[in-house]
Amino acid sequence: MNLLYQSQRAMRAKREEAMRRGVVAVLDIGSFKIACLVLRFDEMDVTPGDGIGAMAGQAGFRVIGAATTRSRGVRFGEIDTVQETERAIRTAVQAAQKMAQTRVDHVIVALAGARPRSYGLDGEAVLQTGTVEDSDIARVLAACDVPDLGHGREVLHAQPVNFSLDHRTGLADPRGHVGSRLSVDMHLLTIEAGAIETLLHCVKRCDLELAGLASAPYVAGISSLVEDEQELGAACIDMGGGATSLSIFIKKHMIFADTVRMGGDHVTSDISQGLQIPMPHAERIKTRFGGVMATGMDDREIIELESETGDWHHDRRTVSRSELIGVMRPRVEEILEETRARLDAAGFEHLPSQRIVLTGGASLLPGLDGLASRILGNQVRLGRPLRVQGLPQSACGPAFSACVGLALFAAHPQDEWWDFETPADRYPARSLKRAVKWFRDNW
Amino acid sequence: MRPLIARRETGPVPLPRPRPDPAPSRLTYRAQRLWLTPFFRMILRVGLPVFAMLFAALWFATDEEKVNALRDQVAEVRREIEDRPEFRVNLLSIEGASPAVTEEVRGALALDLPVSSFDIDLEALRARVEALPAVASASVRIAGGGYLSVDVAERVPALIWQTRTGTVLIDAEGHFVAALADRVPEAPLPMVAGAGADLAVDEALRLLAAAAPLGDRVRGLVRVGQRRWDVVLRDGPRILLPAAAPRAALDEVLLLQDVQQILDRDLVRIDMRNPSRMTVQLTPDALETLSLQRSGQIPVGDERG
């Protein structure tokens, strides 16, 4: 656990350094596109508050550079070909730097794939004094019994979600309360360590320093759920190109995240296979004529399929729009049903509010909200990311909700496990730090 | 008729041309990042030109021949500008001085006209003119049209001062104006004599003004011992005035003159050096007559008629 503390704290330190310098880049590595925003932090005196601050945490920074590039070498939201991805990151970062007219050295990255796994932990500790202090919170966090994460898995988020003191529960910040037993519920998100290693390698090859790492469903939820939804309970489904990730929020904390390894690219490949056309052509037809609800009008709308195989009859086929919808719809239904299964597994139906927000590039499919409300329940809406200062119009769509959420995350990161001090008994025995810590705690 | 329902264009969708990878090479990427570094930009935009200019200046300055050539060229251009007719002084006009003093001033200035106004040191010229004894003050300025205008205020001779070495004219402040031989005053001036007379000119002038009722009989004043005055008359006694309050003593003598015509008497000197006690010295004839009268050989009284 100490290793985790060190690496995460090193990233926090780099984030602080980037804040001092005033410029940081956020990078959303998706399967379809890689988006990079360059943020300038100039008003650092905005009151941080607890949780989400003034203006929903979006004040205090400004987007000065934005660039998007077609993703290469990323599959299912994880890096597949390192060299290709590195080149794609370079393209995005260079274009964003050029627009911002400044150089960025620190980057905060969101990852969609890498098989996230959520754990709910709880810990309990007896208070030493009658009042809850910072050290008590650290102790109760350290008292959480961590399950076996499995080989080659790394903790990405470890956020205290709920504190309870004696018989009172639902405390957001127990400091200063009087009681005797403090217990905490914590949400732990782990991903494959290999994905992080690969990402670090890519970022280093681009002469950048990693100042933070976030899960894409988490940041997409931050930007596309409104405050009430985050408070009362909602699920955010980020439908990307290679993966559909979902996160469940309640009381402004993420309590669950998961990924379905299917996305818009699978719909495209279905079209390509079903209609026997090349992938780029299938992508264009999907974005231009695609849909999931067929109407009578669609039978009469004929789409010409063009290919260059040399076979005259093959190259001059036509297809009606309803046929296209017939190809797309099963796959979209499959994705949504898989998502439903994940939500059910997480116990989403037990939440007081069951709002579901669809966002991400694949949620732009016409008629998706109607189909989704049949499968996921009737409280479905399409979400767009929050508006942040300086964001260009081209980056305001739902495809950029993870990117915008990452910017909000960069401005106001949530307290995580490693943001609290390590309790003294967690240090190795006979350590000088432990002695110093013991002195500081007791005098 | 045009179809009323707007239909989507369903013509053949052109295949997107496969684009080459737009990724920059590692070198390009690094070069761009370097160029976007503020410090590097500043060095390149400010530091490099400054360094280049300094280097060029240094390289130029190390070559003696080039520096001299540049200096000569600058001097030549300056000379050309100074020699333009706009800056030339052609004429000298001297005002406020008599012809003799005008000539003196002209000689003192010793200007070789025409001359450029850049070469004229007005302060030095003014000092030279004011160094002349006949000039009280002067102002020198360059007027438009190529004139050098000199305004001179002359010293006005107030007294003739007779010394052992010669007779000179001095003004009301005691300054030397000219030798009497060189310059004949327009009006007759009172005369003073004796060493240190030029140091008490205003007192002398006051005494002479007080002695105005005597008219032409006053010949002049003599400074005695650099502390007191004697009034010398053409026909009459010498009046010795005290060092302190000589005017009062003179007024007393003049009063006696009005009442008893003391100056017309047979006296050699009237001594007022002690103002409370006037002493007179009789001529030898008068002394003899007095002794005869005292012995009764001559009757006392005004028998002269």
Side-chain angles (χ1 to χ4, degrees):
Chain A
M1 230 3 108
N2 273 323
L3 256 175
L4 165 75
Y5 270 103
Q6 279 165 16
S7 63
Q8 292 281 6
R9 279 190 176 157
M11 280 204 281
R12 280 292 152 93
K14 277 176 190 157
R15 181 189 163 270
E16 286 302 315
E17 192 191 331
M19 291 286 151
R20 274 200 300 280
R21 203 176 288 183
V23 177
V24 69
V26 299
L27 196 64
D28 173 27
I29 301 180
S31 319
F32 185 74
K33 59 152 181 45
I34 290 182
C36 178
L37 300 183
V38 178
L39 313 178
R40 162 163 291 154
F41 291 86
D42 31 19
E43 298 151 29
M44 288 306 291
D45 53 344
V46 173
T47 50
D50 46 355
I52 294 174
M55 296 286 287
Q58 51 164 321
F61 71 87
R62 185 180 174 82
V63 179
I64 55 171
T68 311
T69 184
R70 153 173 72 100
S71 185
R72 279 94 76 189
V74 182
R75 290 176 68 216
F76 305 120
E78 40 198 83
I79 294 167
D80 188 53
T81 320
V82 175
Q83 285 80 12
E84 291 274 309
T85 313
E86 179 204 321
R87 288 155 69 84
I89 292 175
R90 270 209 311 258
T91 314
V93 170
Q94 189 189 38
Q97 277 180 346
K98 194 171 180 183
M99 180 174 164
Q101 280 298 304
T102 183
R103 171 195 171 131
V104 285
D105 288 326
H106 298 91
V107 66
I108 298 178
V109 182
L111 267 183
R115 300 179 189 276
R117 211 176 286 165
S118 276
Y119 298 90
L121 311 183
D122 57 346
E124 199 174 76
V126 180
L127 296 184
Q128 286 171 332
T129 60
T131 320
V132 182
E133 309 280 349
D134 278 342
S135 60
D136 292 323
I137 294 180
R139 272 196 314 119
V140 72
L141 287 176
C144 290
D145 44 349
V146 182
D148 183 17
L149 301 177
H151 178 68
R153 297 201 61 93
E154 196 78 61
V155 176
L156 186 61
H157 292 293
Q159 296 163 340
V161 173
N162 181 33
F163 288 98
S164 25
L165 190 60
D166 295 340
H167 299 295
R168 280 179 293 159
T169 185
L171 299 174
D173 187 356
R175 278 174 298 179
H177 281 276
V178 176
S180 59
R181 295 180 72 80
L182 181 70
S183 60
V184 66
D185 297 320
M186 189 156 69
H187 175 228
L188 191 77
L189 189 74
T190 65
I191 60 169
E192 285 172 355
I196 297 182
E197 297 287 325
T198 320
L199 176 71
L200 265 173
H201 180 248
C202 280
V203 167
K204 190 170 282 182
R205 288 271 297 169
C206 292
D207 302 334
L208 298 167
E209 283 191 84
L210 197 63
L213 200 56
S215 160
Y218 171 51
V219 290
I222 290 178
S223 73
S224 56
L225 297 184
V226 300
E227 215 166 335
D228 284 353
E229 287 167 345
Q230 286 184 16
E231 178 70 34
L232 299 175
C236 172
I237 300 178
D238 180 13
M239 307 181 72
T244 297
S245 51
L246 57 111
S247 57
I248 301 176
F249 278 74
I250 192 165
K251 293 177 78 63
K252 293 182 180 166
H253 290 289
M254 177 175 68
I255 55 168
F256 180 76
D258 205 348
T259 301
V260 177
R261 289 162 77 79
M262 275 187 289
D265 286 350
H266 297 84
V267 179
T268 309
S269 85
D270 282 355
I271 295 169
S272 173
Q273 287 174 19
L275 304 180
Q276 295 180 16
I277 49 174
M279 281 285 273
H281 198 185
E283 178 70 31
R284 276 188 79 85
I285 285 182
K286 181 186 83 171
T287 51
R288 198 158 171 191
F289 305 108
V292 287
M293 301 292 253
T295 61
M297 177 70 186
D298 293 333
D299 287 333
R300 281 170 283 157
E301 198 166 322
I302 305 298
I303 302 162
E304 288 188 28
L305 303 177
E306 193 186 332
S307 52
E308 289 173 345
T309 57
D311 182 348
W312 196 89
H313 291 286
H314 184 267
D315 287 353
R316 274 156 192 76
R317 286 169 301 134
T318 55
V319 69
S320 73
R321 184 164 181 242
S322 50
E323 279 174 286
L324 176 67
I325 289 171
V327 172
M328 291 172 68
R329 180 165 170 146
R331 178 64 84 170
V332 177
E333 277 178 350
E334 188 191 356
I335 294 172
L336 291 173
E337 273 161 10
E338 186 68 26
T339 312
R340 174 82 249 172
R342 300 293 172 95
L343 285 176
D344 288 344
F348 181 62
E349 70 264 29
H350 302 301
L351 286 190
S353 160
Q354 314 221 335
R355 297 297 295 272
I356 292 176
V357 176
L358 295 174
T359 184
S363 73
L364 289 167
L365 207 59
L368 182 70
D369 47 346
L371 182 64
S373 60
R374 279 193 202 171
I375 296 171
L376 300 172
N378 53 5
Q379 291 192 41
V380 173
R381 72 170 180 96
L382 296 178
R384 297 170 69 82
L386 208 67
R387 292 186 188 178
V388 293
Q389 213 182 0
L391 195 68
Q393 182 67 38
S394 60
C396 285
F400 290 86
S401 55
C403 209
V404 173
L406 202 53
L408 299 175
F409 172 79
H412 295 286
Q414 200 170 350
D415 280 349
E416 308 231 15
W417 193 353
W418 37 84
D419 291 325
F420 296 96
E421 272 188 79
T422 320
D425 51 356
R426 284 275 160 167
Y427 285 115
R430 304 169 67 87
S431 143
L432 186 65
K433 268 189 185 170
R434 181 172 179 168
V436 171
K437 174 94 179 121
W438 186 82
F439 266 99
R440 223 197 292 159
D441 284 352
N442 289 280
W443 273 284
Chain B
M1 195 181 117
R2 284 177 60 190
L4 294 177
I5 302 169
R7 280 173 190 279
R8 219 183 294 221
E9 186 61 49
T10 54
V13 181
L15 265 180
R17 200 175 295 271
R19 283 197 303 157
D21 191 353
S25 70
R26 243 171 113 79
L27 206 65
T28 322
Y29 176 74
R30 283 194 173 152
Q32 202 211 13
R33 279 170 67 82
L34 188 65
W35 180 241
L36 286 174
T37 310
F39 181 70
F40 181 78
R41 280 183 89 121
M42 205 179 68
I43 290 251
L44 221 60
R45 287 172 55 195
V46 180
L48 204 65
V50 166
F51 174 76
M53 280 165 67
L54 280 181
F55 183 78
L58 210 67
W59 175 76
F60 191 82
T62 45
D63 196 340
E64 185 82 20
E65 201 173 313
K66 283 200 179 65
V67 174
N68 283 339
L70 182 73
R71 200 174 287 156
D72 290 349
Q73 208 168 350
V74 168
E76 192 180 333
V77 169
R78 191 185 155 84
R79 195 69 247 166
E80 271 176 24
I81 292 171
E82 284 177 0
D83 284 350
R84 291 187 65 81
E86 287 84 352
F87 299 118
R88 203 177 292 157
V89 172
N90 291 317
L91 293 170
L92 180 63
S93 80
I94 300 168
E95 286 166 13
S98 57
V101 177
T102 301
E103 280 311 308
E104 259 182 68
V105 168
R106 196 179 291 276
L109 288 174
L111 284 174
D112 186 14
L113 294 175
V115 67
S116 167
S117 59
F118 285 96
D119 297 337
I120 293 178
D121 183 0
L122 291 177
E123 274 305 306
L125 288 186
R126 179 162 161 266
R128 251 148 68 188
V129 171
E130 288 190 342
L132 291 176
V135 176
S137 67
S139 74
V140 182
R141 63 190 174 87
I142 292 171
Y147 275 92
L148 181 69
S149 155
V150 184
D151 284 341
V152 177
E154 269 192 65
R155 293 192 192 283
V156 181
L159 291 172
I160 301 170
W161 181 30
Q162 198 171 16
T163 61
R164 286 184 191 282
T165 51
T167 310
V168 297
L169 296 172
I170 55 175
D171 70 351
E173 290 164 0
H175 292 291
F176 172 80
V177 176
L180 188 62
D182 296 342
R183 186 167 159 190
V184 180
E186 290 117 17
L189 295 175
M191 206 161 170
V192 292
D198 56 337
L199 302 176
V201 172
D202 44 348
E203 198 181 29
L205 288 174
R206 276 206 302 278
L207 290 176
L208 286 168
L214 298 179
D216 280 350
R217 293 183 68 183
V218 179
R219 183 159 179 185
L221 302 177
V222 176
R223 188 72 169 164
V224 179
Q226 297 201 3
R227 61 185 177 85
R228 61 173 201 87
W229 292 102
D230 281 0
V231 180
V232 182
L233 303 180
R234 284 182 203 284
D235 50 345
R238 193 184 179 103
I239 307 167
L240 280 67
L241 298 176
R247 173 82 190 262
L250 183 61
D251 285 346
E252 201 173 329
V253 175
L254 291 176
L255 193 66
L256 285 174
Q257 162 68 8
D258 281 351
V259 179
Q260 297 186 346
Q261 284 80 41
I262 188 171
L263 299 178
D264 299 335
R265 309 271 175 141
D266 240 354
L267 299 177
V268 175
R269 56 172 72 176
I270 303 171
D271 191 348
M272 296 292 291
R273 281 179 295 183
N274 187 351
S276 56
R277 195 187 63 177
M278 176 200 256
T279 313
V280 296
Q281 180 185 358
L282 305 181
T283 56
D285 291 346
L287 198 61
E288 194 179 333
T289 309
L290 183 65
S291 62
L292 287 176
Q293 281 178 347
R294 291 246 174 99
S295 61
Q297 292 171 6
I298 297 174
V300 181
D302 193 1
E303 294 172 349
R304 284 177 298 172

